[in-house]
Each structure stands twice: as structure tokens, then as C-alpha cells.
Amino acid sequence: MMMRFAIRSLRTDRRGVATVELALALPILAVMALASVDFVFGFGYKMNLQQYAQSGADFVVANGETAPSDAEVAAEVAAVSGLPSSAITVTKWTECNRARNKTTPYGTCPGASDAKANYMQVSVTDTYDPILDIKGIADFVQSTSLTGTAIVRIP
């Protein structure tokens, strides 16, 4: 009789249920919180790359009528960002009559009366390594290549 009462008492006792539920849910909540923080850090790093590319475009505009060379723009962005020059890509092209023509060289249009516009694109690429990359726990998390890009019209 005493044993039956003890078993029934344990079956209806609810005092430790919250602790058990917390122990089961806490690891899942911790991974979700780390994933959220990781997403925010990645987004912030993408915005930094975008600002580095914009600083390159600002450098081009600050030079006025004489557009700097691709190497000068890459060196300026590398100095601002601390990234190697290999992470910075500078591309120039000319649009003739609002159409990009890949067959003509930069700065020229086929027709003398064509409306010409020169553009420069500055791209900064780097790899983001997430903090959630934990062996055996979060193997699905991978490093990601992020790029920031800015385009400016040059004289």
C-alpha cells in the first residue's frame, strides 16, 4: 500500500517539470541565438565591404576630371579596408547611346554622334567565417564569400 502511494505521488508530482523542459529546450535556444548573432555579424560584414567599395567610388569622384587608374583605385580601397589588392576588382566600360557595347574599347563609341558615358565599378570581395562553425554540432555552416559593389560614372 505504501509503495502504491509513493508511485502515485511521484506520477502526479509536477515540481521538476519546468527544470526538465528547460534542460531539453536550452541547447536549441542557444543554437538559435548563435545563428541569429552570426547572421547579424555576416550582414554587418557585407555592409563593411559595401562601404569599402563606396570609398573607392568616392576616391574616383574626388579626383575630378582625371579618372585615376585601376591600380590607384585598388590601392586606395586596400589602404582603407586593410584587405589585399587581390580582393579588389576595378572594371571600366563605356556605354554608347545607353547601351553597353563589349566590342568597342573603353572610352570609344563606333559613331561620332553617339552619346558616350564612361563607368567604373569597384568590387570588394572577402570570405566571412561564421562563429557557429562548430565541428560535430553545426557542420552545415560554411564560410561564405561576400561582395560589396559600387558603380560611378566617370568623365
Side-chain angles (χ1 to χ4, degrees):
M1 184 83 155
M2 187 59 110
M3 184 65 134
R4 192 187 262 171
F5 177 74
I7 292 174
R8 188 178 299 147
S9 172
L10 286 175
R11 194 180 315 158
T12 59
D13 189 6
R14 302 284 182 215
R15 287 182 285 185
V17 173
T19 305
V20 172
E21 288 174 352
L22 180 65
L24 292 173
L26 196 58
I28 296 168
L29 293 173
V31 169
M32 287 175 57
L34 278 175
S36 298
V37 168
D38 220 359
F39 178 77
V40 170
F41 281 174
F43 186 76
Y45 194 65
K46 165 91 170 135
M47 295 306 298
N48 285 344
L49 293 177
Q50 185 68 36
Q51 288 177 345
Y52 298 149
Q54 186 62 45
S55 71
D58 292 344
F59 176 71
V60 172
V61 171
N63 277 299
E65 293 295 318
T66 57
S69 68
D70 296 358
E72 290 173 328
V73 175
E76 177 67 22
V77 175
V80 168
S81 66
L83 294 171
S85 296
S86 60
I88 301 151
T89 306
V90 179
T91 309
K92 291 180 184 175
W93 72 91
T94 299
E95 290 185 2
C96 302
N97 296 328
R98 296 184 186 172
R100 188 171 180 177
N101 188 347
K102 295 185 179 185
T103 59
T104 59
Y106 169 74
T108 62
C109 285
S113 64
D114 289 344
K116 179 175 75 170
N118 297 321
Y119 293 93
M120 181 182 284
Q121 175 178 322
V122 181
S123 298
V124 181
T125 303
D126 198 19
T127 302
Y128 174 70
D129 296 316
I131 58 174
L132 192 60
D133 189 11
I134 303 167
K135 297 285 185 214
I137 296 174
D139 291 331
F140 57 90
V141 178
Q142 302 292 322
S143 295
T144 305
S145 179
L146 301 175
T147 302
T149 302
I151 298 174
V152 62
R153 184 173 176 179
I154 56 177

